[in-house]
Amino acid sequence: MTTSTEKLNFIEATLNTVQAPLAHVGRVLLALMFVLAGFSKVTGFAGTAGYIASVGLPLPEVLTVVTIVVEIGAGLALMLGFQARIAALVLAGFTLAASVIFHNYWAMPADQAFVQQLLFMKNISVAGGLLLVAALGGKARQ
């Protein structure tokens, strides 16, 4: 008969065996949102600049370029594991700032607040995952 301790040890050993591929898949999944969003901003540059301007931020075209560089550059770095901790930290800061600026559900009419709160909380969760990568690294520990 297998004890619960033996089952937990088996699960722990199995997770240790697949740690490297899990870390890679996790990085790719976290980064995918940013890379895809960055490329969509390239093709929808004017719309993105207009959206940035609509919340009152200065230099919307410059901020659009910065956003594209951050999303694609740091996103690809995170995917590839190149300076993953720094890329994750940059993306976490970017995500937290964007959440407060663009998904400020607390200042919106009730009919818009629910969806904006969902987007805000999704972004906060993504930032949490990115901060874990920044803290622990993006590769498996040996």
Side-chain angles (χ1 to χ4, degrees):
M1 178 170 230
T2 305
T3 68
S4 60
T5 301
E6 290 172 328
K7 288 179 187 175
L8 288 175
N9 287 341
F10 172 76
I11 293 169
E12 190 72 25
T14 303
L15 288 173
N16 286 339
T17 302
V18 296
Q19 189 177 24
L22 281 178
H24 181 73
V25 169
R27 285 193 334 266
V28 169
L29 292 175
L30 276 170
L32 189 59
M33 175 176 80
F34 296 100
V35 174
L36 294 176
F39 281 114
S40 75
K41 286 173 179 68
V42 170
T43 60
F45 190 92
T48 300
Y51 185 55
I52 290 172
S54 76
V55 296
L57 292 175
L59 304 169
E61 291 84 7
V62 172
L63 289 176
T64 300
V65 171
V66 170
T67 298
I68 290 168
V69 169
V70 167
E71 287 184 331
I72 294 174
L76 288 174
L78 182 61
M79 271 187 184
L80 299 171
F82 176 75
Q83 298 294 326
R85 295 176 84 178
I86 294 168
L89 192 60
V90 167
L91 289 171
F94 171 82
T95 301
L96 292 171
S99 298
V100 171
I101 293 167
F102 295 102
H103 302 298
N104 56 342
Y105 66 91
W106 53 89
M108 295 189 169
D111 62 330
Q112 298 173 16
F114 179 73
V115 171
Q116 291 302 318
Q117 184 178 15
L118 287 175
L119 293 170
F120 180 87
M121 293 310 298
K122 181 257 315 167
N123 283 359
I124 296 302
S125 298
V126 168
L130 290 164
L131 290 173
L132 281 171
V133 173
L136 303 174
K139 299 189 183 204
R141 300 269 183 219
Q142 297 302 327

mmCIF file of all heavy atoms in Angstrom, residues 44-72:
data_model
loop_
_atom_site.group_PDB
_atom_site.id
_atom_site.type_symbol
_atom_site.label_atom_id
_atom_site.label_comp_id
_atom_site.label_asym_id
_atom_site.label_seq_id
_atom_site.Cartn_x
_atom_site.Cartn_y
_atom_site.Cartn_z
ATOM 1 N N GLY A 44 -1.360 48.373 -35.679
ATOM 2 C CA GLY A 44 -2.408 49.315 -35.308
ATOM 3 C C GLY A 44 -1.835 50.516 -34.581
ATOM 4 O O GLY A 44 -2.382 50.964 -33.563
ATOM 5 N N PHE A 45 -0.737 51.024 -35.100
ATOM 6 C CA PHE A 45 0.009 52.091 -34.427
ATOM 7 C C PHE A 45 -0.866 53.305 -34.111
ATOM 8 O O PHE A 45 -0.884 53.793 -32.980
ATOM 9 C CB PHE A 45 1.209 52.512 -35.282
ATOM 10 C CG PHE A 45 2.166 53.421 -34.573
ATOM 11 C CD1 PHE A 45 3.243 52.897 -33.879
ATOM 12 C CD2 PHE A 45 1.993 54.795 -34.583
ATOM 13 C CE1 PHE A 45 4.131 53.732 -33.208
ATOM 14 C CE2 PHE A 45 2.875 55.633 -33.919
ATOM 15 C CZ PHE A 45 3.942 55.093 -33.226
ATOM 16 N N ALA A 46 -1.589 53.795 -35.096
ATOM 17 C CA ALA A 46 -2.394 55.006 -34.903
ATOM 18 C C ALA A 46 -3.468 54.783 -33.844
ATOM 19 O O ALA A 46 -3.710 55.669 -33.006
ATOM 20 C CB ALA A 46 -3.022 55.439 -36.223
ATOM 21 N N GLY A 47 -4.099 53.632 -33.869
ATOM 22 C CA GLY A 47 -5.122 53.334 -32.873
ATOM 23 C C GLY A 47 -4.558 53.272 -31.471
ATOM 24 O O GLY A 47 -5.167 53.758 -30.519
ATOM 25 N N THR A 48 -3.373 52.663 -31.346
ATOM 26 C CA THR A 48 -2.733 52.572 -30.037
ATOM 27 C C THR A 48 -2.349 53.959 -29.533
ATOM 28 O O THR A 48 -2.585 54.292 -28.369
ATOM 29 C CB THR A 48 -1.485 51.667 -30.103
ATOM 30 O OG1 THR A 48 -1.890 50.364 -30.531
ATOM 31 C CG2 THR A 48 -0.790 51.580 -28.761
ATOM 32 N N ALA A 49 -1.782 54.776 -30.401
ATOM 33 C CA ALA A 49 -1.408 56.140 -30.010
ATOM 34 C C ALA A 49 -2.650 56.927 -29.602
ATOM 35 O O ALA A 49 -2.623 57.683 -28.620
ATOM 36 C CB ALA A 49 -0.667 56.836 -31.137
ATOM 37 N N GLY A 50 -3.741 56.739 -30.333
ATOM 38 C CA GLY A 50 -4.987 57.414 -29.982
ATOM 39 C C GLY A 50 -5.513 56.974 -28.622
ATOM 40 O O GLY A 50 -6.005 57.792 -27.841
ATOM 41 N N TYR A 51 -5.398 55.674 -28.337
ATOM 42 C CA TYR A 51 -5.854 55.158 -27.043
ATOM 43 C C TYR A 51 -5.001 55.719 -25.911
ATOM 44 O O TYR A 51 -5.520 56.116 -24.862
ATOM 45 C CB TYR A 51 -5.816 53.629 -27.058
ATOM 46 C CG TYR A 51 -6.373 52.991 -25.822
ATOM 47 C CD1 TYR A 51 -7.657 53.273 -25.371
ATOM 48 C CD2 TYR A 51 -5.621 52.083 -25.089
ATOM 49 C CE1 TYR A 51 -8.179 52.681 -24.237
ATOM 50 C CE2 TYR A 51 -6.128 51.477 -23.950
ATOM 51 C CZ TYR A 51 -7.407 51.782 -23.524
ATOM 52 O OH TYR A 51 -7.907 51.192 -22.394
ATOM 53 N N ILE A 52 -3.699 55.778 -26.121
ATOM 54 C CA ILE A 52 -2.794 56.357 -25.118
ATOM 55 C C ILE A 52 -3.130 57.834 -24.899
ATOM 56 O O ILE A 52 -3.191 58.306 -23.757
ATOM 57 C CB ILE A 52 -1.318 56.145 -25.535
ATOM 58 C CG1 ILE A 52 -0.951 54.664 -25.412
ATOM 59 C CG2 ILE A 52 -0.382 57.023 -24.717
ATOM 60 C CD1 ILE A 52 0.401 54.300 -25.979
ATOM 61 N N ALA A 53 -3.385 58.551 -25.981
ATOM 62 C CA ALA A 53 -3.747 59.971 -25.867
ATOM 63 C C ALA A 53 -5.080 60.141 -25.144
ATOM 64 O O ALA A 53 -5.260 61.114 -24.400
ATOM 65 C CB ALA A 53 -3.816 60.604 -27.251
ATOM 66 N N SER A 54 -5.996 59.192 -25.312
ATOM 67 C CA SER A 54 -7.336 59.321 -24.726
ATOM 68 C C SER A 54 -7.338 59.309 -23.202
ATOM 69 O O SER A 54 -8.298 59.768 -22.587
ATOM 70 C CB SER A 54 -8.254 58.212 -25.243
ATOM 71 O OG SER A 54 -7.970 56.972 -24.619
ATOM 72 N N VAL A 55 -6.273 58.779 -22.603
ATOM 73 C CA VAL A 55 -6.198 58.798 -21.130
ATOM 74 C C VAL A 55 -5.347 59.969 -20.629
ATOM 75 O O VAL A 55 -5.074 60.066 -19.437
ATOM 76 C CB VAL A 55 -5.675 57.455 -20.554
ATOM 77 C CG1 VAL A 55 -6.640 56.326 -20.861
ATOM 78 C CG2 VAL A 55 -4.272 57.152 -21.019
ATOM 79 N N GLY A 56 -4.926 60.832 -21.557
ATOM 80 C CA GLY A 56 -4.233 62.052 -21.170
ATOM 81 C C GLY A 56 -2.729 61.944 -21.031
ATOM 82 O O GLY A 56 -2.095 62.856 -20.507
ATOM 83 N N LEU A 57 -2.148 60.845 -21.497
ATOM 84 C CA LEU A 57 -0.686 60.723 -21.419
ATOM 85 C C LEU A 57 -0.033 61.567 -22.507
ATOM 86 O O LEU A 57 -0.557 61.675 -23.618
ATOM 87 C CB LEU A 57 -0.271 59.262 -21.570
ATOM 88 C CG LEU A 57 -0.658 58.338 -20.413
ATOM 89 C CD1 LEU A 57 -0.303 56.895 -20.738
ATOM 90 C CD2 LEU A 57 0.022 58.764 -19.126
ATOM 91 N N PRO A 58 1.118 62.166 -22.212
ATOM 92 C CA PRO A 58 1.810 62.996 -23.205
ATOM 93 C C PRO A 58 2.549 62.130 -24.232
ATOM 94 O O PRO A 58 2.820 60.956 -23.991
ATOM 95 C CB PRO A 58 2.808 63.781 -22.351
ATOM 96 C CG PRO A 58 3.105 62.868 -21.202
ATOM 97 C CD PRO A 58 1.809 62.146 -20.924
ATOM 98 N N LEU A 59 2.870 62.731 -25.351
ATOM 99 C CA LEU A 59 3.675 62.098 -26.401
ATOM 100 C C LEU A 59 3.184 60.681 -26.743
ATOM 101 O O LEU A 59 3.943 59.701 -26.651
ATOM 102 C CB LEU A 59 5.148 62.056 -25.979
ATOM 103 C CG LEU A 59 5.782 63.398 -25.610
ATOM 104 C CD1 LEU A 59 7.134 63.194 -24.962
ATOM 105 C CD2 LEU A 59 5.892 64.289 -26.827
ATOM 106 N N PRO A 60 1.943 60.546 -27.163
ATOM 107 C CA PRO A 60 1.394 59.210 -27.384
ATOM 108 C C PRO A 60 2.140 58.385 -28.432
ATOM 109 O O PRO A 60 2.252 57.165 -28.278
ATOM 110 C CB PRO A 60 -0.050 59.475 -27.799
ATOM 111 C CG PRO A 60 -0.107 60.906 -28.196
ATOM 112 C CD PRO A 60 0.980 61.602 -27.441
ATOM 113 N N GLU A 61 2.682 59.033 -29.472
ATOM 114 C CA GLU A 61 3.426 58.281 -30.486
ATOM 115 C C GLU A 61 4.725 57.722 -29.901
ATOM 116 O O GLU A 61 5.104 56.581 -30.177
ATOM 117 C CB GLU A 61 3.718 59.147 -31.718
ATOM 118 C CG GLU A 61 2.497 59.487 -32.534
ATOM 119 C CD GLU A 61 1.724 60.698 -32.001
ATOM 120 O OE1 GLU A 61 2.208 61.380 -31.053
ATOM 121 O OE2 GLU A 61 0.618 60.952 -32.509
ATOM 122 N N VAL A 62 5.394 58.527 -29.086
ATOM 123 C CA VAL A 62 6.633 58.073 -28.440
ATOM 124 C C VAL A 62 6.322 56.935 -27.470
ATOM 125 O O VAL A 62 7.023 55.913 -27.441
ATOM 126 C CB VAL A 62 7.354 59.244 -27.718
ATOM 127 C CG1 VAL A 62 8.527 58.739 -26.893
ATOM 128 C CG2 VAL A 62 7.796 60.296 -28.720
ATOM 129 N N LEU A 63 5.271 57.092 -26.687
ATOM 130 C CA LEU A 63 4.887 56.036 -25.745
ATOM 131 C C LEU A 63 4.457 54.761 -26.470
ATOM 132 O O LEU A 63 4.694 53.660 -25.965
ATOM 133 C CB LEU A 63 3.782 56.525 -24.811
ATOM 134 C CG LEU A 63 4.222 57.553 -23.773
ATOM 135 C CD1 LEU A 63 3.031 58.042 -22.959
ATOM 136 C CD2 LEU A 63 5.305 56.993 -22.864
ATOM 137 N N THR A 64 3.870 54.909 -27.644
ATOM 138 C CA THR A 64 3.516 53.724 -28.436
ATOM 139 C C THR A 64 4.777 52.983 -28.866
ATOM 140 O O THR A 64 4.842 51.749 -28.764
ATOM 141 C CB THR A 64 2.663 54.121 -29.661
ATOM 142 O OG1 THR A 64 1.464 54.761 -29.205
ATOM 143 C CG2 THR A 64 2.294 52.906 -30.494
ATOM 144 N N VAL A 65 5.783 53.703 -29.318
ATOM 145 C CA VAL A 65 7.050 53.074 -29.707
ATOM 146 C C VAL A 65 7.698 52.396 -28.509
ATOM 147 O O VAL A 65 8.153 51.250 -28.594
ATOM 148 C CB VAL A 65 8.018 54.107 -30.348
ATOM 149 C CG1 VAL A 65 9.403 53.501 -30.544
ATOM 150 C CG2 VAL A 65 7.457 54.607 -31.672
ATOM 151 N N VAL A 66 7.725 53.079 -27.370
ATOM 152 C CA VAL A 66 8.302 52.498 -26.150
ATOM 153 C C VAL A 66 7.544 51.224 -25.768
ATOM 154 O O VAL A 66 8.155 50.199 -25.427
ATOM 155 C CB VAL A 66 8.305 53.524 -24.992
ATOM 156 C CG1 VAL A 66 8.668 52.858 -23.671
ATOM 157 C CG2 VAL A 66 9.250 54.677 -25.307
ATOM 158 N N THR A 67 6.233 51.279 -25.846
ATOM 159 C CA THR A 67 5.412 50.120 -25.514
ATOM 160 C C THR A 67 5.723 48.945 -26.429
ATOM 161 O O THR A 67 5.878 47.805 -25.977
ATOM 162 C CB THR A 67 3.912 50.487 -25.604
ATOM 163 O OG1 THR A 67 3.644 51.503 -24.640
ATOM 164 C CG2 THR A 67 3.027 49.292 -25.344
ATOM 165 N N ILE A 68 5.833 49.214 -27.723
ATOM 166 C CA ILE A 68 6.150 48.153 -28.690
ATOM 167 C C ILE A 68 7.509 47.543 -28.378
ATOM 168 O O ILE A 68 7.663 46.313 -28.366
ATOM 169 C CB ILE A 68 6.101 48.714 -30.127
ATOM 170 C CG1 ILE A 68 4.649 49.030 -30.520
ATOM 171 C CG2 ILE A 68 6.742 47.742 -31.119
ATOM 172 C CD1 ILE A 68 4.513 49.859 -31.791
ATOM 173 N N VAL A 69 8.492 48.382 -28.110
ATOM 174 C CA VAL A 69 9.841 47.890 -27.807
ATOM 175 C C VAL A 69 9.829 47.042 -26.531
ATOM 176 O O VAL A 69 10.430 45.962 -26.494
ATOM 177 C CB VAL A 69 10.842 49.066 -27.694
ATOM 178 C CG1 VAL A 69 12.174 48.608 -27.122
ATOM 179 C CG2 VAL A 69 11.035 49.721 -29.054
ATOM 180 N N VAL A 70 9.135 47.505 -25.510
ATOM 181 C CA VAL A 70 9.077 46.765 -24.244
ATOM 182 C C VAL A 70 8.357 45.432 -24.448
ATOM 183 O O VAL A 70 8.847 44.377 -24.039
ATOM 184 C CB VAL A 70 8.397 47.592 -23.134
ATOM 185 C CG1 VAL A 70 8.042 46.730 -21.933
ATOM 186 C CG2 VAL A 70 9.301 48.746 -22.716
ATOM 187 N N GLU A 71 7.186 45.480 -25.076
ATOM 188 C CA GLU A 71 6.406 44.249 -25.217
ATOM 189 C C GLU A 71 7.114 43.218 -26.084
ATOM 190 O O GLU A 71 7.211 42.044 -25.702
ATOM 191 C CB GLU A 71 5.011 44.559 -25.769
ATOM 192 C CG GLU A 71 4.114 45.228 -24.759
ATOM 193 C CD GLU A 71 2.708 45.461 -25.250
ATOM 194 O OE1 GLU A 71 2.491 45.637 -26.468
ATOM 195 O OE2 GLU A 71 1.808 45.467 -24.393
ATOM 196 N N ILE A 72 7.605 43.632 -27.235
ATOM 197 C CA ILE A 72 8.266 42.661 -28.122
ATOM 198 C C ILE A 72 9.656 42.315 -27.597
ATOM 199 O O ILE A 72 10.011 41.134 -27.509
ATOM 200 C CB ILE A 72 8.339 43.192 -29.571
ATOM 201 C CG1 ILE A 72 6.920 43.319 -30.151
ATOM 202 C CG2 ILE A 72 9.191 42.259 -30.440
ATOM 203 C CD1 ILE A 72 6.864 43.967 -31.521
#
